Amino acid sequence: FHKTGTTSLGKALEILGYKVCGPVGTKDPNIESKLFEIAFSYSDQFDAFQDNPWAIIFRELDRKYSRSKFILTLRDMDKWITSVVNYFGTENTPMRKLIYGIGHPKGNEEVYIKRHRTHIKDVRKYFKKRPDDILELRLCEGEGWHKLCPFLNKPIPKIEFPHENKGRHHNEK
């Protein structure tokens, strides 16, 4: 999910040579009906995906790209919700409404936390019998190249793992 290090992960994957697609369709008012059309119009053009809508369509991506690998970025839930509220506040988007049922996190923290926890459970259950296809990565706790590179069979770069969007608010972009 967003605000778990997805932008940093995207930058790391670019450093490793992947062509990375970030968020798409987040403000499309018809995202609910066009989700797969929008996502799959991008998917063949890239090697890796981060942020939305990619997290919520992991099953469909897995079916379409049967030999792919998945990375579940995790973050302390209290720090995650604080970051989400600070970053998005009361700004509504169709994508967040699709994901959470409510388009903005401020005042809806419990709804957001519950949905995020459900997502983590769903991903773990889905990949339970395929541990080689999933990596849980806690970038906010300092995990980085030493965990990511062996999972992807890539050499560890001789540069520091990227840390993007540190402490920025949405309106500061």
Side-chain angles (χ1 to χ4, degrees):
F1 268 33
H2 40 232
K3 306 310 296 166
T4 60
T6 58
T7 305
S8 298
L9 177 60
K11 182 68 175 172
L13 293 171
E14 287 176 352
I15 291 168
L16 293 174
Y18 293 95
K19 187 176 177 186
V20 179
C21 183
V24 297
T26 59
K27 295 187 179 184
D28 187 313
N30 301 310
I31 191 62
E32 189 168 354
S33 63
K34 294 170 46 180
L35 175 63
F36 296 106
E37 175 188 340
I38 290 171
F40 290 133
S41 73
Y42 285 88
S43 65
D44 286 338
Q45 302 171 46
F46 294 89
D47 306 312
F49 308 91
Q50 59 90 2
D51 212 301
N52 292 316
W54 314 110
I56 64 170
I57 63 169
F58 68 93
R59 293 174 192 90
E60 293 81 6
L61 289 169
D62 186 44
R63 283 192 285 276
K64 184 171 172 121
Y65 303 102
S66 61
R67 294 179 29 202
S68 54
K69 297 213 174 225
F70 290 80
I71 300 166
L72 177 62
T73 50
L74 299 170
R75 185 175 188 183
D76 172 85
M77 198 60 69
D78 290 334
K79 291 178 181 176
W80 174 78
I81 195 60
T82 297
S83 180
V84 168
V85 169
N86 286 342
Y87 194 80
F88 298 116
T90 58
E91 179 193 358
N92 285 293
T93 66
M95 182 66 72
R96 285 194 299 278
K97 182 156 183 1
L98 173 65
I99 295 170
Y100 301 100
I102 300 170
H104 65 275
K106 189 169 183 150
N108 301 301
E109 291 86 350
E110 290 305 313
V111 171
Y112 274 56
I113 289 169
K114 182 178 179 185
R115 175 64 178 101
H116 190 186
R117 284 189 173 133
T118 298
H119 173 73
I120 293 167
K121 266 192 231 177
D122 290 347
V123 170
R124 286 175 171 161
K125 182 178 179 183
Y126 184 84
F127 287 102
K128 186 177 181 177
K129 294 181 181 176
R130 296 173 42 208
D132 293 340
D133 294 337
I134 183 80
L135 173 69
E136 292 190 9
L137 194 58
R138 292 169 178 80
L139 297 173
C140 297
E141 295 175 21
E143 293 181 344
W145 296 130
H146 285 75
K147 197 165 179 184
L148 178 63
C149 291
F151 176 69
L152 298 174
N153 297 315
K154 295 281 191 174
I156 296 173
K158 295 187 186 311
I159 60 172
E160 194 172 311
F161 196 90
H163 189 170
E164 307 290 308
N165 287 343
K166 186 175 183 178
R168 289 195 322 188
H169 295 298
H170 189 59
N171 60 3
E172 294 174 349
K173 281 183 165 181

